[in-house]
Amino acid sequence: MYSNSFYRYPVRQNQNNNRYITVDGFYIQQLIPDTFLVKVSLSSYADTTFEAVTNNNNLYDQTAKGIKEFGIKEEDIILDNTSVTPIFEDGTNITSYKATTTFTIRVYNFQTVLEALSSPGDLNFEGITFTLTNPEEHYQQVLNRATENGIRKAKEIADAIGVSIDPIPLSIKEITDLDQLIERVTSSIPGEISTLKEGFVYIEAKVQEVFKIHTPM
């Protein structure tokens, strides 16, 4: 007789009958901005750098005082940079100096932006950025809608192939492109004051959801 080791016995393997549906949920929302970052500058000319900077500092103080008359708070006038540039004659001789101060005005009403920029003065309009005061709050709402979108997709796919799924996802993974999110939640526009119009910002969210398919008993 042969040893039992020569006979092949059937081996019962553990079969994993779990099947899944994986979907991406997506939602994007257009919003009217509630915060406006207005980039402006002032310039002064003088025979010396000291005089040019002094004159421009005085001009900045007067301008900031006028801006506050539109209800803009001091903390919303943000000084960015002051620079001095020599002015040449014939490309060799310095004839004077130009001092330039760049600053940002944070405003919460678009009409105030138009009024402040259209008032008489020495302001040079550099550009404007539309954004949101609390983007995190808006993003959370959009994220919830993206999750709901994924659930609807999974149900539609399950119905199309004739199966049923657990309506509660096994997992939800946030896959929003954060760089794109930041880019969309701000909108920067250079240009002339006369053509300035209120724009929109966008918030989007994307999730990946996994649903378990019910296996018939």
Side-chain angles (χ1 to χ4, degrees), residues 49-117:
T49 57
F50 177 78
E51 290 175 316
V53 171
T54 300
N55 293 343
N56 214 49
N57 287 341
N58 293 335
L59 181 59
Y60 172 80
D61 291 339
Q62 296 172 6
T63 303
K65 183 178 179 181
I67 290 172
K68 293 174 188 176
E69 294 179 359
F70 292 94
I72 298 171
K73 298 179 181 179
E74 184 172 356
E75 58 264 31
D76 290 325
I77 303 174
I78 306 157
L79 184 63
D80 296 324
N81 181 54
T82 297
S83 61
V84 179
T85 304
I87 306 299
F88 291 90
E89 183 181 77
D90 300 328
T92 55
N93 298 322
I94 298 176
T95 58
S96 61
Y97 294 88
K98 175 185 177 182
T100 301
T101 299
T102 305
F103 57 103
T104 300
I105 309 170
R106 185 166 49 221
V107 188
Y108 303 98
N109 182 284
F110 187 69
Q111 187 60 37
T112 302
V113 174
L114 297 178
E115 292 174 357
L117 292 178

Side-chain angles (χ1 to χ4, degrees), residues 168-173 208-211:
I168 300 176
L170 284 175
S171 67
I172 303 175
K173 181 181 180 182
Q208 187 175 83
E209 300 170 83
V210 178
F211 297 81

Side-chain angles (χ1 to χ4, degrees), residues 36-43 63 67 80 100-107 110 112-130 187-199:
F36 309 91
L37 305 176
V38 186
K39 181 80 71 174
V40 293
S41 66
L42 295 167
S43 295
T63 303
I67 290 172
D80 296 324
T100 301
T101 299
T102 305
F103 57 103
T104 300
I105 309 170
R106 185 166 49 221
V107 188
F110 187 69
T112 302
V113 174
L114 297 178
E115 292 174 357
L117 292 178
S118 300
S119 61
D122 300 291
L123 277 178
N124 300 309
F125 175 61
E126 305 289 345
I128 186 170
T129 297
F130 302 109
S187 177
S188 299
I189 301 176
E192 299 293 331
I193 299 174
S194 59
T195 61
L196 187 59
K197 295 181 180 180
E198 187 171 10

Side-chain angles (χ1 to χ4, degrees), residues 132-165:
L132 299 167
T133 303
N134 190 359
E136 295 85 0
E137 180 180 339
H138 293 284
Y139 175 70
Q140 188 58 53
Q141 296 173 1
V142 173
L143 184 62
N144 292 341
R145 300 291 291 274
T147 303
E148 295 169 0
N149 175 255
I151 293 173
R152 286 195 300 271
K153 279 185 180 180
K155 289 180 178 178
E156 290 171 0
I157 292 173
D159 291 342
I161 62 177
V163 298
S164 62
I165 60 171

